[in-house]
Amino acid sequence: MRRSEKVLKIKEIFDIEYYDAKCSLDFDTPHQLLVAVQLSAQCTDKRVNIVTKDLFRKYTSVYDFANADIEELKEDIRPCGFYKNKAKNIIASSKDIVEKFNGELPQTMEEMLSLAGVGRKTANLVLGDLFGVPGLVIDTHAIRLTNRFGLTKYKDPYRIEMDLNKIVPDDYKMRFCHQLVYHGRRYCMARNPNCEECPAKALCKYYETKRKD
């Protein structure tokens, strides 16, 4: 089966299983989503949502974050881990948005990548969820699952993104990535995946190999 055909078969299953898949980070404004995504690196979305509940009450706009005291912000986000670097990037990127884009989140990949500490994964998520720009969010779930399904042979996020861009339809890219997160949490865990219960096991290269062992 061609990889593009397999994606459509997976889509049929995922659209039933995870019809309501969406970003699991809580936010009310575009900039809040960016901050939440920055905090989510090496941290669970659940913990980020706990932290941002108070954080977004304290810092109510991009201007508040741009003018934040870095030591104070570090303490505010400490539970998310890597708080020193995250605080630095949140303040710096907020200043970039204020100074370069008049306080409005940019809407192109090039402009998003010009923000301090923003990489392709973050940019694709923000652009896709906020502005409908087709993109693939290559997080740990996407890396693991697309390899297990046999949709790519690469481990590097950028190479995976470029590879999947060829086979995943534009209007499905963002939903596919959110569905991969849901599937990774429910069945396809990093350790001890629940292959026998997986509704997409017939399409999975990893399951096929596992059965032969």
Side-chain angles (χ1 to χ4, degrees), residues 37-45 47-48 79-82 86 121 140:
V37 175
Q38 289 173 306
L39 291 175
S40 70
Q42 304 299 312
C43 182
T44 65
D45 290 356
R47 181 172 293 279
V48 171
C80 292
F82 300 95
K86 289 178 181 180
K121 182 178 76 171
T140 55

Side-chain angles (χ1 to χ4, degrees), residues 2-203:
R2 294 171 57 188
R3 291 185 303 145
S4 57
E5 294 173 353
K6 183 179 283 192
V7 167
L8 296 181
K9 292 290 186 181
I10 293 171
K11 178 180 181 298
E12 290 178 8
I13 296 168
F14 279 7
D15 279 351
I16 295 172
E17 292 285 324
Y18 315 113
Y19 63 90
D20 58 347
K22 62 180 182 178
C23 178
S24 53
L25 294 167
D26 296 335
F27 65 96
D28 292 319
T29 69
H31 185 251
Q32 285 183 358
L33 175 58
L34 175 60
V35 171
V37 175
Q38 289 173 306
L39 291 175
S40 70
Q42 304 299 312
C43 182
T44 65
D45 290 356
K46 183 178 180 180
R47 181 172 293 279
V48 171
N49 289 338
I50 292 171
V51 171
T52 56
K53 188 174 182 180
D54 291 328
L55 189 72
F56 292 155
R57 289 195 188 111
K58 181 174 182 178
Y59 304 92
T60 61
S61 71
V62 63
Y63 299 95
D64 289 344
F65 279 105
N67 295 310
D69 176 81
I70 190 165
E71 296 303 323
E72 191 173 346
L73 183 59
K74 285 178 185 178
E75 291 306 310
D76 293 331
I77 66 173
R78 181 186 283 266
C80 292
F82 300 95
Y83 59 94
K84 294 179 181 179
N85 197 50
K86 289 178 181 180
K88 181 186 72 173
N89 284 334
I90 288 171
I91 291 174
S93 61
S94 298
K95 286 181 176 178
D96 285 342
I97 293 168
V98 170
E99 294 168 4
K100 297 178 183 178
F101 304 105
N102 299 313
E104 298 293 330
L105 219 61
Q107 298 186 27
T108 69
M109 175 61 74
E110 182 179 5
E111 291 173 330
M112 282 295 299
L113 293 178
S114 75
L115 302 179
V118 173
R120 293 190 65 86
K121 182 178 76 171
T122 296
N124 274 321
L125 177 57
V126 171
L127 291 172
D129 273 2
L130 293 177
F131 308 119
V133 179
L136 292 159
V137 182
I138 309 301
D139 59 8
T140 55
H141 291 288
I143 294 170
R144 182 173 74 256
L145 271 66
T146 56
N147 271 270
R148 284 180 174 175
F149 275 120
L151 296 177
T152 186
K153 63 181 180 181
Y154 300 115
K155 302 295 183 182
D156 175 71
Y158 179 76
R159 297 189 75 175
I160 292 173
E161 181 186 344
M162 295 302 106
D163 198 25
L164 295 180
N165 262 327
K166 305 170 188 174
I167 59 172
V168 182
D170 281 351
D171 62 356
Y172 181 52
K173 285 175 179 174
M174 283 305 299
R175 189 162 82 257
F176 179 53
C177 292
H178 290 318
Q179 289 173 339
L180 286 174
V181 173
Y182 278 49
H183 192 68
R185 289 172 178 167
R186 185 176 297 178
Y187 296 105
C188 201
M189 294 74 75
R191 297 180 180 179
N192 301 318
N194 186 7
C195 295
E196 293 303 324
E197 300 296 324
C198 174
K201 63 186 179 185
L203 299 166

